Amino acid sequence: MKPPLPTFLQHRLAREVTLAIAIKLLVIAAIYYAFFDGRALHPDADAVAERLANPNQATQSQPPSGSSHAD
């Protein structure tokens, strides 16, 4: 047997509003953790300065444009 619903959830509109708020909170939490999951890069000042001084050079993590992986 189901336990009775709280008084404010006995109305259909209140249930729908509660469900909509719960879904929105879950979506907000998912978006937050998608961007802030702890895998952020922490570059040092020298690497940032080098990148700003030479923006067109390929970084070490990027393969050169003429690599054999493109074949």
Side-chain angles (χ1 to χ4, degrees):
M1 185 169 156
K2 290 183 180 180
L5 290 174
T7 306
F8 71 95
L9 288 179
Q10 290 178 358
H11 300 287
R12 181 175 176 228
L13 181 61
R15 283 193 306 265
E16 289 181 9
V17 168
T18 303
L19 181 62
I21 290 172
I23 290 171
K24 287 180 181 190
L25 288 175
L26 287 173
V27 169
I28 289 170
I31 291 171
Y32 176 82
Y33 285 111
F35 285 99
F36 303 107
D37 63 350
R39 293 185 290 173
L41 297 176
H42 301 288
D44 59 338
D46 294 333
V48 173
E50 180 67 29
R51 180 69 178 170
L52 291 173
N54 301 312
N56 295 329
Q57 284 185 341
T59 61
Q60 293 176 350
S61 63
Q62 296 175 345
S65 59
S67 70
S68 62
H69 296 289
D71 295 347

